[in-house]
Amino acid sequence: MKQNKVLIVILLLLLSFLASGACAQQKAIKILAIGNSFSQDAVEQYLYELANAEGIPVIIGNMYIAGCSLERHVKNARSNDSAYAYRKISLDGKKIEKKKMALGTVLADEEWDYVSLQQASPFSGMYETYETSLPELVEYVKVRLPKKAELMLHQTWAYAANATNTGFKNYGRDQLTMYHSIVKAVDKASKLTKIKMIIPTGTAIQNARTSFVGDHMNRDGYHLDLKIGRYTAACTWFEKIFERNVVGNPYYPEGMNYDQREVAQKAAHGAVLHPDRITELTELKEPAAKVNYDESKVPAYTLPDVLTLNNGQKVVTIKEWVKKRRPELIHLFETQMYGKAPAHPKDLHFRVLTEDKNALNGLATRREVAVYLTKDEKHYMTVLIYLPNQRQGAVPMFFGINFKGNHAIHPDEGITLPSEEKLLTYGRKYMFPRGNAASRWPVEMLMKHGYGLATFYRGDIDPDFDDAFRNGVHPLFYKKGQKRPADDEWGTLAAWAWGMSCVMDYFETDKDIDAKRVAIFGHSRLGKTTLWAGAIDPRFALVISNDSGCGGAALSRRKVGETVRAVNRQFTHWFCRNFWQYNDKEENLPVDQHELIALIAPRPVYIASAEEDCWADPRGEFLSGLYASPVYELFGLPGLPVKEMPAVNEPELSGTIGYHIRSGQHDINLYDWTQYVQFADKHLKKDN
């Protein structure tokens, strides 16, 4: 009995420890704005969604009084006046409002991490109005906050040029005069009160006005437009607070088109980089052509013949393909699209960091391996590996890069969390919760089918944002005086593919992994990566592309959904700079994506699409497989054995090129994985 009580106590302590660890990992960031309708525009819409898209839990509050000035905030504080509407967005995204609330009450409502203060817009560029009221308000707020909390000044925006607001006369009814006055006043106020953090929303709005959107950021001349205006403000708050480049954040409001999203994100990013001056959005002076999803509007196009050499000679033998045509295509893709990557490091070496032979309740062995890129071991990938315990000899392996960190692919508590040092390397302040992406990684299912699984986090090679190629592996290979890759050198996608190839070097040393039966897979941008990795490294036995779109499996010349211009403008770091010359000029490309698929021959390749993922052009993905088939046939293999696109949820698995289009949206799910396992069973299992 005594032993049972001890066991119960130990169990309770363990559960308490695990629970506290989970809570610590998912601790919400709490943000409070003390403002007016301009803070409402900035934080009550879209900021929560932007954070949620990056796995950052947040609580957002806004102390609202229409037109409230710093002077009035101070008076309310002195009298503890219950004059505010307290609008609060909780962890689950629900918004509640409590009326007749006092400042002191709300400051005590949460342990706020960030609290912003701002002046009413008519006085926002008049420093003397800050000087008389802000210091007292700062002292009132500071003593009611945790020591770790950070105060912020919200730099608000100038009115539209045609605004009729009476406060506009304070600036001679001139927009730029008002903008520069706000920047100067807020900067001086920050020095006066020693507030270090300024949210440069005003600069972001002014940046956006240099784009094709023009002076249409406001709905009434001074409040922000409900979509692009408010979204631009929220993007600015997101990037400044979370220190995470907002360009590429997947969230944007329903009904917002691609061009507006790009303007908002880049305007915010420019403002955070240069908060006191306007960044001209020179590439966004004109909107891109309207996104086309209509098959009847696909332009006429002629694809390069996959079996014709650059000199016009036809390829008729396998030897001619291997010795002549394949090297030609690799060179063109390298120099015009993905960029040339360096050789593997001479100091590449490996170390097993952890191993648990009883993971997943005995189903698997979990192993974590460091793949070191440098002799000093400062630069490395952490590869997470699961191996089925029910195995005889070396096992075939599925291998892919993950979006959110190794710990996010499964709730397994044994997966090591990224260190604080690693998070800084990734450009992140907060990690995704454990198991956050588990729906995309059917670990147990793969183990039961006799496959291993390996993955590493993309940020271990190059974080997915444009930092002029200073934040990843690129600087390790710069020549003396080089600051960024040359125009024909590797972008981020090529770097990720290079990282996959480096990990393959490790697989060849692991007796539990059959390195001749490694299937690589990737979803979305990682699908683009995987196709390129499979093209350049013939050691990968099978290649899987899931919803990869432009620069992946979709034909560029169709100009459907994501186009070359769209991908280059939104994700400036993905491809080499030479690829930019084909923006809106896809017909000038010396290659197209059917030739990328063909480079994988004679190895099997699987292409998957989703019915509602029009952005990735499912038909264009199917056609790439179809037009790559002649190279497979040259090897005496069936390529894609059907000429017409299969019906939804009717996969075609009989050829060396497999394909399906499933119902649903842009994602990778169990349906997809079921087809991949069947396809791999056919091509990788030794008894087939």
Side-chain angles (χ1 to χ4, degrees), residues 398-401 441 453 500 519-523 526 530 544 668 673:
F398 280 95
F399 170 41
I401 307 174
W441 298 82
L453 175 67
M500 295 183 82
I520 54 173
F521 66 92
H523 167 63
L526 298 178
T530 298
I544 300 167
I668 182 170
W673 275 105

Side-chain angles (χ1 to χ4, degrees), residues 353 366-369 381-386 400-412 415-418 426 432-438 441 443 454-458 460:
L353 302 175
R366 183 189 62 250
R367 188 176 296 159
E368 292 174 313
V369 177
M381 294 173 275
T382 302
V383 183
L384 172 66
I385 301 170
Y386 284 99
I401 307 174
N402 65 73
F403 282 94
K404 298 182 177 182
N406 292 348
H407 67 285
I409 77 154
H410 196 280
D412 182 355
I415 303 173
T416 302
L417 295 173
Y426 301 154
F432 288 92
R434 193 183 290 278
N436 183 257
W441 298 82
V443 181
T455 185
F456 69 88
Y457 175 52
R458 58 184 173 169
D460 277 357

Side-chain angles (χ1 to χ4, degrees), residues 44 352 518 569 616:
E44 290 190 25
V352 175
V518 174
R569 279 176 38 177

